Amino acid sequence: MSADLLFDPLFRVPLVVGGLLALLLPPLGVYLRLRREWLAALGFAHLAGAGGVLGTLAALPVLPLALLVAGGGVLVQGAMRRPGNDAYATMILLGWSVMLIGASFSHHAQLLGQALVDGQLYFAGVDHLVGAIVLAVLVGVLLPWMSPGLLRARLFPGQDQANGQSPRRLGLLFNGLVALGVALGATAMGVMAAFALMFIPAWLAFALAPGWRAAVIIAMLLGGLAYALAFTLAMLLDLPFGPICVACLVAMTPLRLLRRG
């Protein structure tokens, strides 16, 4: 494929959508790792994929249904006393089964299911662009506000309890933000690419960063770098974006050998 296609107006929206998500998902992954709930990214991604397929079967818009089903997972998770990664593992199994069973009922749903697996970012449209911009605003406004509470709940859990406060509501709000980001990522760039962007940069940042803010910045930089390389390679080689993105992120994992201490 010609390098000129990298600058084709047809690919500008997907390029911007992917770039925003590649910068926004990694910091959310850092907080998920802090909370020891990194499996949430894959759980919400599979629920979003199932919602997208169900939307196709019902002749309804894919993205709103994906957001709705992922949001439902947040509410169910919030209603459980000790959800942990067990709840997210159940989401993965449920979402995977619904996605594949639903895809077998129509050709259109099958194509969408395949796109969710392959990660065809080139089909991202204006609805994903609007969603990514909304996510950027929410992350920029809410995450700095939520950060002290999320850190306190993990590092000093007794403090909120002593003050008669519960971090449950804050955790629910954060999971809602994660579900929004993952649903956008899964429907725009594929389930595994969205998960990889939330898992690997955060995993590396925890090993490399000298402090918390540095971990967030490093995760964003790694996500952006992997995305730029993956988009370029996928376009030039005419390959699905999702597997290339995951491969680029996995190729970064030897950076763990540079871990501090």
Side-chain angles (χ1 to χ4, degrees):
M1 184 177 288
S2 172
D4 294 338
L5 285 179
L6 288 172
F7 307 101
D8 193 309
L10 181 64
F11 296 103
R12 286 177 185 169
V13 170
L15 176 65
V16 174
V17 169
L20 285 173
L21 293 176
L23 294 175
L24 295 171
L25 295 183
L28 293 176
V30 171
Y31 284 89
L32 281 178
R33 178 159 286 274
L34 168 74
R35 290 161 56 84
R36 295 183 178 179
E37 292 184 344
W38 54 267
L39 203 57
L42 198 54
F44 290 136
H46 277 80
L47 287 183
V53 170
L54 292 176
T56 300
L57 291 175
L60 295 173
V62 170
L63 183 57
L65 262 293
L67 292 172
L68 182 63
V69 174
V74 173
L75 295 178
V76 172
Q77 185 268 355
M80 302 175 67
R81 289 188 176 182
R82 296 181 178 179
N85 282 320
D86 292 341
Y88 300 125
T90 304
M91 291 181 191
I92 294 171
L93 298 174
L94 175 63
W96 178 79
S97 61
V98 171
M99 186 167 59
L100 293 186
I101 292 172
S104 67
F105 281 95
S106 80
H107 181 64
H108 191 189
Q110 185 178 18
L111 291 176
L112 175 63
Q114 190 63 45
L116 290 168
V117 173
D118 291 343
Q120 297 288 11
L121 176 63
Y122 325 118
F123 299 138
V126 176
D127 53 345
H128 286 99
L129 179 60
V130 173
I133 293 173
V134 170
L135 178 65
V137 173
L138 291 177
V139 169
V141 173
L142 293 179
L143 202 56
W145 171 73
M146 290 189 291
S147 182
L150 294 172
L151 287 167
R152 185 172 59 249
R154 178 67 186 92
L155 301 177
F156 306 103
Q159 184 173 340
D160 286 331
Q161 186 177 3
N163 294 328
Q165 299 176 345
S166 173
R168 194 178 186 88
R169 189 173 301 175
L170 182 63
L172 187 64
L173 180 60
F174 171 72
N175 282 341
L177 195 60
V178 170
L180 173 61
V182 171
L184 285 168
T187 54
M189 60 177 61
V191 169
M192 295 307 296
F195 170 65
L197 278 169
M198 298 192 79
F199 175 72
I200 293 180
W203 182 55
L204 294 175
F206 262 62
L208 302 175
W212 182 252
R213 291 183 180 178
V216 174
I217 293 173
I218 288 174
M220 293 180 69
L221 291 175
L222 291 174
L225 178 61
Y227 170 74
L229 180 60
F231 190 90
T232 301
L233 290 175
M235 290 291 292
L236 293 178
L237 301 176
D238 194 19
L239 292 172
F241 171 81
I244 296 294
C245 181
V246 173
C248 289
L249 286 164
V250 171
M252 292 181 170
T253 55
L255 291 174
R256 287 277 299 186
L257 299 176
L258 303 176
R259 64 183 304 166
R260 295 173 58 85

